[in-house]
């Protein structure tokens, strides 16, 4: 930027250049501080390798769940340029509904049956959770966002926050404050031991299921007529409608896909955390949003990788930085602030700026 | 085939079309010429349903296609377009190649063409039309797996027209196909418009390049600030001193 000495440039441009340099220096300082802290505190503790591997595996499991939720944020942003801040609640509804489906299965004794019955019951629980989330997601689009489609961009955002609170406190009103606990069937409560590393079955199942769902979504987006229409609508709504694409229908389908993934994530997070309650979608929702921003919002592979990276950072971070695990949320949200300052387009590129053009 | 009956369109409070009436008959090339901001693009977008018609009516009539082409969507059409959303207008066979080409930059050329055929459910017909598009624009065949955004301006224009043809339209609306192209390419594009018309396509052509447009057209309309001020056979308009002075730069 200093190589083009345009004499007529306004003073404001110089100011911005200085600011950008300062930001860069600040970024380097932060990175150095983190490295220094990791080297002097985290590594100095002398944890065995198996400890780090276990943490990393935990991180991937959590990252997989975040990825499913992050995809919902990114899909909706890609098409409507709005952040669906009620998306965490869409996930929570899936978790709550999954809990009742699980109770139903437990009451029928399905969870103690032969493994085929247990697997079927688990799948059924997930599908029911997904269906509930889809219903809520579609209702949100229809009632909270579509009427505001022509409004300034801040307005649907406010509506989203309102919807988020509405859903949380409706669930609170109906199901109470106390957490509902997921009881794992015996079949999946054990784990694998590889040397010193213990891999719980639920973790493995959650990770594999997340990956499969992400592959399914990627296939839909990249290889089907519907996915092509979604990408076309994301690029240019009016032109897509000239091709005979019903833009509203595509938007609804986008909400359905994102919500289905969130519902699956809600059920899996229920099994992972063992409890769900009215606000258990809030923090994971924000984390998934962070992951989507980390990868570059609107960018689908970005959301997947951003979430896995966030999961890893959150799992390894506290030990590496030598701070209590209770502060892992601080790490995630500090990361959000840092990305927004230093790389607002996320790790995977220019999608945001390209679309604004 | 297409009849606009004193159509009014607004952008917010701006009265953009002030009672436009025009007719396009089957098999014709009709051109709509006029200077920047006269309402040419607005007219096409009103027909396509992208902009709502505030007053007046747009009629679209067509007899079933000849039995020979075996198209499953052959049917008698007599419909008011002004009450339909854009995607339904497109599904009826009113296909627009929009101003500025509006290629889906991140979709490949192949995907862009597939988007043109979005509403169709006759795979053989789609393949047949794809071959036809490749005959008209051999360049596109070489660029199939490239993102649309990486094409040159001329190639993008070919893709935009090809994409519009992929819907197997009954009428083709072309908005400024010569915009921003080198003179040689402009000639080529108009040659192709002639060819498409010779194959039986009805075309409504919007152009700033009045000279070239009137040379391919059967009839023309001159638009000025939302009103049609002049109309007639293309030859008459070419010879009209008013048109010559205002639009042909003579």
């Amino acid at each position: 930027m200093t190589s083009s000495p345009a004499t007529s440039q306004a003073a404001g441009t110089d100011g911005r250049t200085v600011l950008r340099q300062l930001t860069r220096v600040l970024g380097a300082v932060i990175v150095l501080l983190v490295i220094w802290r990791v080297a002097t505190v985290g590594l100095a503790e002398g944890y065995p390798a198996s400890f780090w591997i276990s943490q990393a595996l935990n991180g991937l499991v959590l990252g997989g769940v975040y990825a499913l939720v992050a995809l919902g944020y990114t899909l909706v942003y890609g098409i409507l340029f709005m952040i669906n801040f009620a998306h965490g609640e869409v996930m929570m509804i899936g978790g709550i509904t999954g809990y009742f489906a699980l109770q139903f299965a437990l009451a029928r004794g399905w969870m103690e049956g032969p493994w085929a019955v247990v697997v079927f019951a688990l799948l059924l629980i997930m599908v029911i959770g997904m269906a509930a989330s889809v219903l809520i997601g579609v209702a949100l689009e229809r009632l909270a966002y579509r009427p505001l489609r022509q409004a300034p961009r801040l307005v649907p955002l406010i509506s989203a926050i309102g919807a988020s609170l509405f859903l949380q406190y409706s669930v609170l009103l109906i199901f109470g404050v106390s957490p509902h606990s997921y009881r794992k069937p015996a079949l999946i409560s054990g784990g694998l031991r590889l040397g010193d590393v213990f891999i719980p079955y639920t973790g493995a199942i959650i990770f594999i299921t997340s990956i499969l769902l992400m592959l399914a979504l990627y296939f839909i987006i990249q290889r089907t007529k519907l996915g092509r229409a979604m990408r076309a609508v994301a690029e240019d709504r009016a032109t897509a409608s000239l091709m005979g694409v019903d833009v509203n229908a595509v938007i609804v389908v986008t909400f359905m896909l994102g919500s289905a993934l969130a519902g699956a994530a809600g059920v899996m997070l229920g099994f992972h955390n063992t409890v769900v309650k009215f606000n258990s979608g809030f923090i994971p929702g924000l984390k998934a949003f962070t992951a989507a921003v980390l990868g570059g919002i609107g960018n689908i592979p970005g959301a997947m990788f951003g979430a896995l990276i966030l999961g890893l950072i959150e799992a390894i971070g506290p030990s590496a930085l030598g701070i209590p695990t209770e502060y892992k949320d601080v790490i995630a949200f500090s990361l959000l602030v840092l990305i927004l300052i230093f790389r607002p387009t996320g790790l995977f590129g220019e999608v945001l700026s390209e679309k604004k053009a | 085939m297409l009849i606009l009956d004193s159509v009014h369109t607004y952008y917010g409070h701006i009265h953009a079309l002030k009672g436009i009436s025009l007719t396009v008959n089957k098999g014709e090339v009709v051109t709509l010429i006029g200077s920047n901001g006269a309402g040419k693009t607005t007219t096409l977008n009103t027909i396509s349903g992208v902009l709502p018609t505030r007053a007046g009516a747009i009629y679209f009539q067509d007899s079933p296609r000849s039995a020979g082409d075996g198209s499953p969507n052959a049917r008698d059409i007599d419909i008011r377009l002004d009450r339909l959303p854009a995607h339904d207008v497109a599904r009826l066979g009113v296909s627009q190649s929009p101003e500025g080409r509006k290629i889906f930059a991140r979709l490949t050329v192949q995907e862009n063409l597939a988007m043109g055929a979005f509403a169709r459910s006759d795979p053989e017909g789609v393949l047949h039309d794809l071959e036809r598009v490749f005959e008209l624009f051999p360049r596109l065949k070489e660029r199939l797996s490239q993102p649309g955004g990486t094409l040159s301006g001329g190639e993008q224009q070919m893709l935009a027209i090809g994409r519009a043809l992929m819907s197997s339209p009954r009428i083709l609306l072309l908005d400024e196909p010569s915009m921003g192209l080198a003179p040689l390419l402009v000639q080529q594009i108009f040659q192709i418009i002639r060819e498409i018309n010779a194959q039986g396509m009805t075309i409504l052509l919007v152009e700033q390049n009045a000279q070239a447009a009137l040379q391919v057209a059967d009839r023309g309309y001159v638009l000025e600030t939302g009103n049609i001020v002049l109309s007639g056979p293309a030859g008459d308009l070419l010879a009209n001193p008013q048109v010559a002075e205002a639009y042909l730069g003579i």
Side-chain angles (χ1 to χ4, degrees):
Chain A
M1 53 201 89
T2 42
S3 58
S4 61
T7 42
S8 61
Q9 256 179 0
T13 319
D14 290 337
R16 226 173 296 148
T17 312
V18 170
L19 197 67
R20 207 177 307 154
Q21 302 281 25
L22 264 178
T23 319
R24 236 173 246 176
V25 171
L26 189 63
V29 168
I30 291 172
V31 168
L32 285 174
L33 274 176
V34 168
I35 291 173
W36 174 73
R37 176 84 189 176
V38 169
T40 57
V41 180
L43 296 180
E45 289 278 347
Y47 293 118
S50 61
F51 170 80
W52 295 112
I53 294 174
S54 299
Q55 298 287 52
L57 290 176
N58 270 335
L60 286 179
V61 171
L62 213 53
V65 176
Y66 289 162
L68 293 181
V69 185
L71 283 168
Y73 280 105
T74 247
L75 283 172
V76 166
Y77 185 86
I79 285 195
L80 289 179
F81 302 114
M82 70 157 285
I83 306 294
N84 176 10
F85 271 121
H87 195 54
E89 277 58 53
V90 172
M91 181 194 93
M92 176 269 293
I93 300 277
I96 291 272
T97 313
Y99 163 80
F100 287 105
L102 175 63
Q103 291 310 109
F104 180 83
L106 283 169
R108 297 271 172 308
W110 292 352
M111 287 314 191
E112 285 92 52
W115 70 268
V117 175
V118 178
V119 169
F120 172 76
L122 287 174
L123 275 177
L124 189 70
I125 289 166
M126 195 154 93
V127 168
I128 290 174
M130 289 165 89
S133 289
V134 166
L135 272 178
I136 295 294
V138 170
L140 269 179
E141 192 276 330
R142 191 73 191 82
L143 302 173
Y145 305 145
R146 194 184 297 185
L148 302 171
R149 195 83 58 76
Q150 309 303 328
R153 281 168 65 158
L154 204 56
V155 178
L157 207 67
I158 295 166
S159 177
I161 293 169
S164 162
L165 293 173
F166 173 81
L167 288 173
Q168 281 189 43
Y169 292 99
S170 301
V171 169
L172 174 67
L173 186 71
I174 299 169
F175 301 115
V177 226
S178 55
H180 301 277
S181 54
Y182 267 69
R183 197 141 54 82
K184 282 182 208 173
L187 185 73
I188 59 164
S189 41
L192 273 176
R193 186 167 287 284
L194 297 172
D196 288 334
V197 180
F198 179 73
I199 306 169
Y201 287 137
T202 37
I205 293 171
I206 288 172
F207 185 69
I208 291 168
T209 312
S210 307
I211 297 292
L212 288 178
L213 285 171
M214 282 186 255
L215 289 176
L217 178 81
Y218 201 73
F219 176 81
I220 292 175
I221 303 269
Q222 290 299 329
R223 292 272 177 271
T224 66
K225 189 171 170 178
L226 173 70
R228 205 161 55 218
M230 286 172 67
R231 282 181 289 142
V233 170
E235 269 198 53
D236 186 338
R237 237 182 269 174
T239 305
S241 73
L242 288 180
M243 312 284 126
V245 177
D246 182 344
V247 172
N248 275 329
V250 168
I251 290 172
V252 170
V253 169
T254 306
F255 271 85
M256 290 174 85
L257 282 175
S259 304
L261 294 180
V267 172
M268 293 199 289
L269 209 60
F271 278 111
H272 188 262
N273 295 344
T274 69
V275 290
V276 284
K277 54 179 180 165
F278 72 98
N279 64 358
S280 59
F282 187 64
I283 294 289
L286 284 181
K287 297 267 183 67
F289 168 65
T290 305
V293 172
L294 176 61
I297 191 130
N299 182 329
I300 289 172
M304 298 180 189
F305 288 109
L308 291 177
I309 292 169
L310 182 72
L312 282 174
I313 289 177
E314 211 184 290
I316 298 177
S319 319
L321 296 172
I323 58 176
T325 9
E326 291 81 62
Y327 292 123
K328 65 179 170 32
D329 294 355
V330 176
I331 297 179
F333 296 129
S334 307
L335 192 64
L336 175 62
V337 174
L338 292 177
I339 305 158
L340 289 175
I341 294 173
F342 295 109
R343 198 171 163 84
T345 54
L347 295 177
F348 291 81
E350 282 85 337
V351 175
L352 191 71
S353 50
E354 197 181 291
K355 274 189 176 159
K356 273 186 173 168
Chain B
M1 175 172 217
L2 183 71
I3 300 159
L4 273 69
D5 183 11
S6 54
V7 168
H8 291 257
T9 303
Y10 288 74
Y11 279 110
H13 294 296
I14 301 162
H15 197 171
L17 296 187
K18 301 164 185 162
I20 300 276
S21 297
L22 62 82
T23 310
V24 183
N25 297 313
K26 195 164 183 150
E28 271 187 322
V29 177
V30 172
T31 186
L32 196 57
I33 58 176
S35 52
N36 238 341
K40 305 188 299 288
T41 296
T42 308
T43 307
L44 289 197
N45 281 338
T46 306
I47 297 170
S48 281
V50 175
L51 293 172
T53 308
R54 191 72 70 86
I58 303 172
Y59 301 97
F60 180 58
Q61 297 155 337
D62 197 14
S63 50
R65 294 176 174 179
S66 60
D69 84 16
S71 173
N73 49 356
R75 60 201 183 276
D76 218 346
I77 295 178
D78 184 3
I79 287 179
R80 277 187 71 166
L81 297 185
D82 52 289
R83 293 171 180 168
L84 295 178
H87 61 268
D88 284 338
V89 173
R91 278 157 194 256
L92 283 172
V94 180
S95 186
Q96 190 192 144
S97 160
E99 183 185 21
R101 301 158 197 136
K102 301 285 170 65
I103 293 305
F104 298 114
R106 274 176 293 158
L107 270 59
T108 64
V109 169
Q110 187 161 27
E111 287 175 327
N112 267 284
L113 291 171
M115 280 312 297
F118 179 81
R120 295 176 70 177
S121 50
D122 55 328
E124 301 97 48
V126 172
L127 273 178
H128 173 261
D129 284 343
L130 194 62
E131 283 310 314
R132 208 177 63 150
V133 168
F134 289 153
E135 270 166 38
L136 287 169
F137 310 108
R139 285 288 276 284
L140 294 183
K141 201 169 183 175
E142 302 161 20
R143 302 261 186 276
L144 271 187
S145 53
Q146 240 172 276
T150 64
L151 299 188
S152 71
E155 288 167 343
Q156 290 198 5
Q157 188 56 59
M158 295 175 188
L159 180 54
I161 297 177
R163 185 178 63 180
L165 286 174
M166 283 307 292
S167 66
S168 179
R170 289 159 190 270
I171 179 168
L172 188 59
L173 313 179
L174 296 176
D175 197 346
E176 304 262 5
S178 77
M179 190 167 70
L181 298 184
L184 206 67
L185 272 169
V186 172
Q187 268 185 30
Q188 207 183 331
I189 292 286
F190 278 105
Q191 184 52 44
I192 282 163
I193 292 170
R194 222 177 246 128
E195 233 172 286
I196 297 170
N197 174 244
Q199 291 170 8
M201 183 67 64
T202 310
I203 297 172
L204 177 55
L205 170 67
V206 155
E207 259 302 336
Q208 272 201 69
N209 186 343
Q211 175 100 39
L214 287 171
Q215 274 165 5
V216 296
D218 299 303
R219 291 188 300 115
Y221 292 87
V222 180
L223 203 55
E224 235 168 55
T225 58
N227 290 301
I228 297 219
V229 292
L230 210 57
S231 66
D236 293 3
L237 289 177
L238 266 174
N240 184 314
Q242 273 174 279
V243 175
E245 195 188 339
Y247 303 107
L248 303 180
I250 300 167

